[in-house]
Amino acid sequence: MGIIKSIRKLLGLQHSEPTPLSRQREEEPDEVLIFVVDESYDRIDEYVNWDDYADEWAATEAASEIFLERIRAEFDAEFDEANIGPGADLPAFVTVIASSIVPLIPWLMAIFFSGKPIVDNIDAWRTLLGKIRPFVSRTVVLNRNGAAVLAMDAVFEDIGGIPKQVILHGYKPGYRYDDDLIAPQEIEDPMPTLNLSMVKHVFHIEADGISYVVAVDGTKVTAKRI
């Protein structure tokens, strides 16, 4: 069974069926989506005994269920199945931080991605960060809104506190393996969530007159003054 797995991986053939598009969670403007990558996917034998299952598919499903139960208990949150791998499946489980948890999310995201100056409730970004931070113990991918929270935190850290005014000048869902860090000049729409494993979110943010380009790749953040 291990040889079969290795051959499939070498050829790029994945052993799980893609999540039906009707079940794929897409980005809403007032939500932060946190996709926890299914760590059992390439480590099935760490979760189940192959001999207990009729075939690889059954073992894969059982391992995934065990991983799902672990993260439900770990984070005390509900998760839905998702797929964030364009071209080759990358199973994940997605949970949502909505306005019922942080009421200011709709307002924050609407103002931020409109490119208008934010001068009120800027410290609410730190509240949102506190909701995301526990998940970084796992392999996590964020939607555009979630990446914005990490980008803003990087700017706050560089400034050394909460700025008086913040403006987003540009956003681009870049390719994660592109090493160039160029500040986007316009605010683009988010990518479909199916593509998120290949996306590096790039922001052009001005805070108290200081301009930054910030890249968010998963939970890795790179920020520089420009």
Side-chain angles (χ1 to χ4, degrees):
M1 188 66 72
I3 294 175
I4 294 174
K5 286 173 61 188
S6 298
I7 292 173
R8 287 191 175 200
K9 289 172 64 179
L10 182 63
L11 296 178
L13 301 175
Q14 305 300 318
H15 54 236
S16 79
E17 295 179 356
T19 302
L21 291 179
S22 61
R23 294 167 54 196
Q24 178 78 5
R25 187 65 181 258
E26 290 299 339
E27 175 158 329
E28 296 292 339
D30 59 347
E31 296 177 337
V32 169
L33 300 182
I34 302 172
F35 294 84
V36 180
V37 174
D38 186 349
E39 297 172 10
S40 74
Y41 190 53
D42 288 322
R43 295 156 40 191
I44 296 173
D45 51 2
E46 295 180 21
Y47 289 81
V48 298
N49 184 342
W50 287 98
D51 295 335
D52 293 338
Y53 298 91
D55 54 33
E56 186 176 6
W57 175 246
T60 299
E61 286 287 280
S64 186
E65 281 296 321
I66 291 171
F67 178 75
L68 174 57
E69 289 306 314
R70 287 181 183 178
I71 61 173
R72 279 175 174 163
E74 182 177 346
F75 301 116
D76 190 23
E78 286 302 315
F79 291 86
D80 295 322
E81 292 182 22
N83 191 338
I84 56 172
D89 294 340
L90 183 57
F93 296 102
V94 58
T95 192
V96 180
I97 300 174
S99 57
S100 58
I101 300 173
V102 181
L104 283 174
I105 288 179
W107 181 86
L108 285 175
M109 297 304 169
I111 298 296
F112 185 67
F113 285 107
S114 72
K116 297 177 181 179
I118 301 177
V119 295
D120 297 318
N121 298 308
I122 297 178
D123 55 344
W125 291 93
R126 282 281 168 86
T127 301
L128 262 175
L129 177 68
K131 300 297 183 182
I132 295 174
R133 184 176 280 132
F135 293 90
V136 302
S137 60
R138 297 287 185 173
T139 303
V140 166
V141 174
L142 301 168
N143 70 333
R144 184 180 71 161
N145 290 351
V149 177
L150 298 193
M152 289 283 275
D153 181 63
V155 170
F156 295 172
E157 287 297 316
D158 185 82
I159 288 178
I162 305 296
K164 295 179 180 178
Q165 177 175 283
V166 176
I167 306 172
L168 178 68
H169 291 297
Y171 164 79
K172 178 180 179 180
Y175 179 54
R176 70 174 306 187
Y177 297 112
D178 186 351
D179 292 331
D180 293 335
L181 196 55
I182 300 172
Q185 300 303 312
E186 48 186 74
I187 301 171
E188 298 185 20
D189 293 332
M191 293 288 285
T193 56
L194 181 64
N195 298 333
L196 281 179
S197 68
M198 302 304 294
V199 168
K200 176 169 61 179
H201 303 277
V202 184
F203 299 86
H204 177 189
I205 299 171
E206 179 185 338
D208 288 348
I210 304 171
S211 291
Y212 295 85
V213 57
V214 186
V216 181
D217 179 1
T219 56
K220 177 184 177 183
V221 184
T222 304
K224 69 175 183 179
R225 297 191 182 196
I226 53 176

